[in-house]
């Protein structure tokens, strides 16, 4: 009997160990029942990087979203399915279908533009089952991939144009070739520092003949340089093993971004849209396979600069017709000699990609900053694909409307929006429930507590408006310098703050802090310049200080030495914080009469000049303040969350167990449980229940996506997040997180 009991006890203990081991192996998420609710919208869309139409079934499209994953339709856009949500990146530069084996899809991650708001990737992916499953095939340090070519007769041979890191030198940049289906890669063009590749062509009559465009570029917080000595056009006649630089007829200056196209009727005729000095450029043509070139016109992409466009397409249906991607697409019908602006009426501008159907010469599909548009009459009229919810929101605000509160946010190039958190409609929230509050690039929005009809919004670089949501009246309220004062430097996403002590008091910031007591009708500057106030073109870029005659792109640069975040303590009126884009937090304890400077670089573990994405005063203790810092624009992708217990005099990191590669955008503190904080990050939403000691990710209902902002609607206890590429998400009622005993997790 004793033996039997002992055996039974041993069995039970062993069984318990097995269950425990299985539980540990399964790594069950204790928060998996807390699902975020996607509310769109799709009435405007987001930036499209590339489009691929299936070669055998033209109803099947794969769409690469600049910052929203990969989407697939099997019915020409009637319905969509996101097919890349579980991968480790959300930013996509290109998508390519293997023409000989169309079930194989290749995706290059990392946007293929050089913009200030660009996402970054982690290599090249492949699916061999029509996009159902994916595998990362390397080039994880490329960060930005713009083109993938597949050998028409051998699917094991692949070429990749990798732009490489935008914010730093090095990484994996240039042209790469694989001969074993992507298992290994060999770099054949480009250098180790600044020269990457941005376009590739293959001769369909001779796959050993390829053309490549290389590109030197570097962006910093302060400036952007869009060209260099490594930029150029190259040709290979041995399948991309070796390359010859093509120079005859090409201007001998530091070239910028180059787009290439091949005449479908004559593979020896190559077109090149070339950025030259100081935003000038031209379309060049070679009729002899690149041996010599002649300039046909001075046409170059405009807008914010060629870095953002410059893709060139040759029509497969009409010889000599070219489409140059631009803010207003340019069309030539004479091989690039003359161009006219394409009809953009009824279509969003800022086009980046297009696709043709072999079966219909009158059909074109365009990918823009505002989503997908198709034309069935060769650009005379346009149809918007209005069910692709990939809007890029920078910031989010909520009001206290009843019975359902409203959500406001500003977008990349699609204005500022308002919409309901829920509706009584059994179909849910519709596109028609949303409205546009402002145009242009939208950024931070703000609401007035207790008065939901009053909101605030802005265009890029501080163009501030007060909006009456009842009448639709908009009033321009941007503070202006006095006569004789220097111009204000507003950040691309200037901070708006409604005082927690007085709902009609408003704070705004340029290089100095402004205060209004009457909703922006009158302003008072309550600080001097709180930044470093540097000559930004004298700062190092592309390895050192550059001369004035170099390839600067001033139109592409945001203002620098600006204030990026504001906070006022709800526990102590007049206790103000201002964070900058050049590594400073300034503190005033007397409403702005005096300011105390905090150099963030003196804090252990903090880089020299981090960008202050957010500064937040504690809701319960006037001595406590938090900050979210960002250094990715110096090539550093670490998280930086800070906490001060003494009004910013000393600081400590509260990263806890956050991933080592994670940008931290914004913070919000629960208004009930003081140690419960939420972080909006480059990879979703994290929370801490112990004031930053350790963090957990909330994954329920969320794809892999960047969350740029986060807030709590206090009446409903809802957590509302703004994603940069998939619209808004709501976690309805965070009360369970207040009550959950984290000690029970394990």
């Amino acid at each position: 009997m004793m033996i039997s009991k002992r055996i039974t006890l041993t069995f039970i203990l062993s069984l318990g160990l097995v269950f425990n081991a299985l539980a540990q192996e399964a790594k069950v998420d204790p928060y998996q029942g807390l699902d975020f609710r996607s509310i769109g919208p799709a009435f405007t869309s987001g930036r499209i990087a590339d489009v691929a139409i299936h070669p055998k079934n033209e109803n099947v499209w794969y769409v690469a979203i600049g910052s929203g994953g990969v989407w697939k339709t099997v019915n020409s856009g009637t319905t969509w399915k996101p097919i890349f949500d579980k991968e480790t990146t959300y930013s996509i530069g290109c998508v390519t279908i293997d023409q000989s084996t169309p079930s194989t899809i290749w995706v290059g991650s990392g946007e293929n533009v050089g913009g200030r708001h660009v996402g970054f990737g982690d290599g090249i992916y492949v699916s061999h089952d029509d996009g159902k499953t994916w595998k990362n095939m390397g080039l994880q340090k490329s960060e930005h991939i713009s083109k993938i070519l597949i050998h028409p007769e051998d699917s094991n041979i692949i070429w990749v144009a990798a732009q490489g890191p935008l914010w730093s030198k090095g990484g994996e940049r240039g042209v790469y070739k694989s001969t074993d289906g992507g298992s290994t890669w060999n770099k054949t063009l480009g250098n180790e520092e600044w020269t990457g590749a941005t376009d590739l062509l293959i001769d369909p009559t001779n796959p050993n003949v390829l053309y490549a465009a290389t590109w030197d570029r570097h962006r910093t917080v302060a400036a952007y340089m869009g060209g260099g000595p490594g930029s150029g056009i190259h040709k290979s006649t041995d399948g991309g093993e070796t390359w010859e630089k093509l120079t005859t007829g090409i201007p001998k200056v530091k070239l910028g971004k180059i787009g290439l196209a091949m005449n479908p009727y004559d593979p020896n005729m190559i077109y090149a849209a070339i950025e030259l000095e100081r935003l000038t450029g031209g379309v060049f043509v070679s009729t002899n396979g690149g041996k010599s070139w002649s300039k046909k016109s001075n046409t170059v992409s405009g807008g914010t600069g060629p870095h953002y466009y410059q893709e060139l397409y040759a029509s497969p249906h009409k010889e000599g017709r070219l489409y140059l991607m631009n803010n207003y697409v340019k069309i030539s019908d004479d091989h690039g000699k003359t161009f006219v602006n394409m009809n953009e009426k009824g279509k969003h501008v800022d086009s980046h990609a297009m696709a043709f159907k072999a079966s219909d010469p009158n059909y074109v599909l365009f990918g823009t900053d505002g989503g997908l548009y198709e034309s069935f009459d060769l650009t005379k009229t346009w149809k918007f694909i209005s069910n692709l919810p990939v809007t890029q929101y920078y910031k989010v605000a909520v009001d206290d409307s009843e019975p359902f509160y409203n959500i406001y946010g500003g977008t990349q190039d699609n204005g500022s929006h308002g919409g309901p958190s829920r509706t009584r409609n059994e179909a849910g929230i519709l596109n028609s429930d949303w409205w546009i509050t402002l145009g242009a690039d939208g950024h931070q929005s703000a609401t007035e507590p207790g008065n939901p009809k009053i909101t605030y919004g802005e265009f890029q670089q501080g163009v501030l408006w007060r909006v009456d949501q009842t009448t639709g009246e908009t009033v321009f309220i941007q503070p202006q310098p006095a006569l004789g004062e220097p111009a204000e430097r507003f950040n691309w996403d200037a901070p708006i703050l409604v005082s927690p002590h007085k709902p009609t008091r408003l704070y705004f910031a340029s290089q100095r802090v402004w205060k209004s007591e009457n909703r922006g009708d009158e302003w008072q500057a309550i600080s001097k310049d709180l930044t470093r106030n540097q000559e930004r073109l004298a700062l190092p870029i592309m390895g050192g200080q550059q001369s004035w005659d170099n390839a600067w792109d001033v139109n592409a640069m945001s203002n620098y030495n600006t204030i990026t975040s504001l906070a006022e303590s709800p526990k102590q009126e007049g206790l103000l914080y201002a964070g900058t884009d050049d590594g400073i937090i300034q503190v005033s304890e007397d409403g702005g009469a005096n300011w105390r400077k905090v150099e963030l670089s003196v804090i252990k573990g903090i880089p020299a000049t981090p960008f202050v994405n957010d500064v937040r005063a504690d809701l319960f203790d006037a001595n406590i303040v938090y900050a979210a810092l960002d250094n990715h624009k110096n090539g550093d992708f670490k998280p930086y969350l800070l906490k001060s217990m003494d009004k910013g005099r000393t600081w400590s990191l509260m990263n806890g167990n956050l991933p080592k590669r994670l940008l931290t955008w914004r913070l919000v503190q629960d208004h009930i449980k003081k140690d419960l904080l939420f972080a909006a990050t480059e990879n979703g939403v994290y929370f801490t229940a112990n004031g930053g000691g350790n963090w957990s990710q909330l994954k329920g209902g969320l794809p892999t996506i960047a969350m740029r902002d986060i807030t709590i609607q206090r009446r409903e206890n809802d957590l509302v997040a703004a994603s940069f590429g998939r619209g808004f998400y709501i976690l309805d009622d965070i009360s369970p997180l207040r009550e959950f005993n984290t000690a029970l997790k394990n």
Side-chain angles (χ1 to χ4, degrees):
M1 191 71 173
M2 291 294 294
I3 294 174
S4 176
K5 284 184 177 178
R6 186 175 297 145
I7 292 172
T8 302
L9 181 61
T10 303
F11 175 75
I12 291 172
L13 289 173
S14 300
L15 195 61
L17 289 172
V18 170
F19 283 150
N20 185 60
L22 289 172
Q24 291 294 324
E25 185 177 347
K27 295 181 180 179
V28 175
D29 181 3
Y31 311 111
Q32 63 184 351
L34 299 176
D35 274 1
F36 282 83
R37 174 167 54 95
S38 170
I39 63 168
F43 80 120
T44 65
S45 201
R47 185 163 58 248
I48 308 298
D50 200 10
V51 181
I53 296 178
H54 197 287
K56 296 182 179 179
N57 183 352
E58 292 180 337
N59 292 313
V60 176
W61 311 342
Y62 295 89
V63 179
I65 313 298
S67 61
V70 181
W71 292 67
K72 180 181 179 180
T73 177
V74 297
N75 47 31
S76 295
T78 304
T79 59
W80 293 92
K81 182 179 180 180
I83 59 174
F84 207 73
D85 283 6
K86 295 182 180 180
E87 308 313 311
T88 52
T89 185
Y90 65 89
S91 178
I92 312 298
C94 59
V95 58
T96 299
I97 302 172
D98 186 338
Q99 299 294 298
S100 62
T101 310
S103 59
T104 294
I105 317 297
W106 287 87
V107 163
S109 69
E111 290 191 74
N112 58 352
V113 297
R116 58 182 63 79
H117 38 65
V118 66
F120 52 89
D122 61 2
I124 186 169
Y125 290 77
V126 69
S127 171
H128 294 296
D129 53 11
D130 300 294
K132 295 182 180 69
T133 61
W134 297 90
K135 183 179 180 181
N136 187 303
M137 299 302 292
L139 302 181
Q140 293 179 349
K141 297 180 181 179
S142 59
E143 295 187 18
H144 301 277
I145 293 177
S146 53
K147 197 72 170 287
I148 300 169
L149 294 180
I150 304 162
H151 196 288
E153 299 166 359
D154 186 348
S155 295
N156 286 311
I157 300 177
I158 307 108
W159 299 271
V160 173
Q163 291 181 0
L166 173 65
W167 305 102
S168 63
K169 65 180 180 181
E172 291 172 306
R173 61 177 74 231
V175 175
Y176 289 82
K177 180 181 179 180
S178 175
T179 57
D180 52 14
S183 296
T184 60
W185 297 92
N186 180 40
K187 180 176 178 176
T188 63
L189 183 63
N191 68 26
E192 300 303 318
E193 289 194 323
W194 304 109
T195 305
T198 191
D199 210 349
L200 282 172
L201 299 176
I202 188 169
D203 185 338
T205 65
N206 183 358
N208 284 320
V209 175
L210 296 102
Y211 300 86
T214 53
W215 188 22
D216 288 359
R217 91 276 193 255
H218 183 207
R219 184 179 279 279
T220 67
V221 185
Y224 173 73
M225 184 162 287
S231 300
I233 305 173
H234 309 259
K235 181 178 182 179
S236 174
T237 57
D238 56 7
E241 297 291 335
T242 61
W243 298 86
E244 174 192 3
K245 191 169 186 178
L246 307 176
T247 59
T248 303
I250 304 296
K252 301 185 184 305
V253 298
K254 292 180 179 178
L255 307 178
K257 190 175 184 181
I258 300 170
L260 298 176
M262 182 180 289
N263 185 338
Y265 298 84
D266 179 3
N268 283 313
M269 180 176 282
I270 311 300
Y271 308 98
I274 303 177
E275 178 186 1
L276 301 173
E277 296 176 301
R278 300 298 178 106
L279 303 183
T280 62
V283 171
F284 292 74
V285 178
S286 173
T287 58
N288 52 14
K291 292 179 182 178
S292 61
W293 298 80
S294 60
K295 187 177 183 181
K296 295 299 181 181
S297 68
N298 293 321
T299 306
V300 64
S301 296
T304 59
H307 76 282
Y308 199 55
Y309 314 99
Q310 203 72 338
E311 295 86 0
L312 189 63
Y313 293 84
S315 170
H317 299 293
K318 182 178 180 180
E319 186 174 9
R321 173 168 289 169
L322 302 174
Y323 296 84
L324 178 62
M325 299 300 101
N326 190 23
N327 54 339
Y328 295 93
V329 173
K330 295 184 178 296
I331 301 178
S332 172
D333 278 325
D334 54 11
H335 299 280
K337 293 178 183 178
T338 60
F339 282 85
V340 297
N341 285 343
M342 186 177 77
N343 169 43
E344 303 272 358
K345 185 178 180 181
K347 171 187 168 294
H348 196 290
V349 295
D350 294 319
S351 294
H352 301 283
M354 71 176 299
F356 304 89
K357 286 184 176 179
S359 66
D360 186 352
N362 292 314
Y363 181 89
V364 287
L365 180 64
F366 273 82
T368 77
D369 268 11
L372 281 176
Y373 289 80
E374 56 183 346
S375 176
F376 298 89
D377 51 17
L378 208 57
T379 76
K380 291 179 182 178
T381 59
W382 296 97
K383 176 185 176 184
F384 173 50
I385 306 294
S386 60
N387 58 350
L388 198 54
V390 292
T391 310
Q392 300 165 290
Y393 285 100
Y394 288 102
K395 296 286 176 64
V396 63
V398 295
D399 69 8
D400 47 18
S401 294
E402 293 181 337
F404 309 126
Y405 64 89
N406 292 314
I407 297 172
Y408 295 93
T411 73
Q412 153 57 24
D413 209 45
N414 284 274
S416 295
H417 304 159
S421 57
R422 59 175 69 244
T423 73
R424 291 190 176 97
N425 191 323
E426 65 180 1
I429 301 171
L430 307 176
N431 280 346
S432 57
D433 292 319
W434 291 84
W435 63 93
I436 294 176
T437 63
L438 290 171
D441 281 61
H443 289 277
Q444 188 170 352
S445 297
T447 60
E448 182 176 307
N451 187 8
K453 76 174 186 177
I454 295 297
T455 67
Y456 303 93
E458 60 179 313
F459 301 166
Q460 60 269 44
Q461 298 193 154
V463 183
L464 182 64
W465 303 82
R466 184 178 67 237
V467 184
D468 188 318
Q469 296 297 337
T470 303
T471 65
E473 179 188 39
T474 57
V475 180
F476 177 68
I477 59 169
Q478 183 190 55
Q480 301 294 312
L483 187 65
E485 290 184 331
E488 300 301 310
R489 295 190 307 274
F490 291 97
N491 190 262
W492 188 256
D493 185 8
I496 310 168
L497 177 67
V498 177
S499 172
H501 299 280
K502 183 181 178 183
T504 57
R505 179 184 296 156
L506 191 64
Y507 296 96
F508 197 51
S510 51
Q511 74 273 17
R512 49 184 176 168
V513 179
W514 294 81
K515 182 175 74 171
S516 172
E517 296 287 357
N518 51 14
R519 299 190 178 102
D521 287 337
E522 298 171 292
W523 290 96
Q524 174 192 2
I526 59 172
S527 79
K528 296 181 180 179
D529 189 337
L530 298 183
T531 74
R532 301 183 192 279
N533 191 21
Q534 298 160 300
E535 172 45 70
R536 60 179 175 167
L537 296 190
L539 298 174
I541 190 169
M542 207 174 281
Q545 186 172 344
Q546 302 292 334
S547 61
W548 293 98
D549 61 351
N550 221 312
W552 302 98
D553 190 343
V554 178
N555 287 358
M557 300 178 193
S558 304
N559 284 336
Y560 184 56
N561 300 129
T562 64
I563 295 170
T564 53
S565 187
L566 291 171
E568 182 180 22
S569 170
K571 305 300 291 184
Q572 180 180 330
E573 189 171 2
L575 174 54
L576 303 172
Y577 299 92
T580 73
D581 60 5
D582 53 13
I584 297 170
I585 289 178
Q586 299 269 8
V587 187
S588 175
E589 299 186 49
D590 52 16
N594 298 282
W595 292 85
R596 170 167 43 89
K597 182 179 180 181
V598 179
E599 285 276 5
L600 294 171
S601 60
V602 304
I603 303 169
K604 184 178 179 181
I606 301 301
T609 55
F611 193 111
V612 182
N613 277 337
D614 198 16
V615 59
R616 293 283 175 130
D618 191 272
L619 301 179
F620 302 88
D621 187 337
N623 292 302
I624 299 177
V625 61
Y626 308 92
L629 312 181
D630 172 20
N631 201 41
H632 87 273
K633 293 184 178 181
N634 288 303
D636 171 14
F637 299 98
K638 297 176 184 176
Y640 295 101
L641 294 180
L642 295 180
K643 183 177 183 179
S644 172
M645 305 288 288
D646 54 11
K647 298 180 180 178
R649 289 177 174 83
T650 60
W651 297 80
S652 59
L653 277 167
M654 60 172 195
N655 287 350
N657 58 333
L658 287 174
K660 302 303 181 185
R661 183 183 173 91
L662 183 74
L663 307 188
T664 45
W665 290 104
R666 299 275 279 182
L667 289 164
V668 68
Q669 183 184 25
D670 184 26
H671 55 289
I672 301 296
K673 185 175 180 179
K674 67 180 181 65
D675 288 329
L676 180 60
L677 292 93
F678 300 87
T681 79
E682 187 70 7
N683 189 12
V685 176
Y686 285 78
F687 80 96
T688 175
N690 56 9
N694 59 333
W695 296 83
S696 299
Q697 189 175 9
L698 292 171
K699 301 178 182 179
L702 295 180
T704 299
I705 196 64
M707 293 295 183
R708 291 289 187 94
D709 197 12
I710 197 164
T711 193
I712 295 172
Q713 210 287 342
R714 296 181 182 181
R715 185 189 70 219
E716 303 295 333
N717 295 300
D718 286 355
L719 186 69
V720 185
S723 78
F724 197 70
R726 295 291 286 272
F728 291 121
Y729 287 85
I730 300 175
L731 179 58
D732 294 297
D733 192 358
I734 60 172
S735 298
L737 289 173
R738 296 173 184 148
E739 300 161 4
F740 182 69
N741 184 354
T742 56
L744 299 177
K745 273 202 309 180
N746 299 321

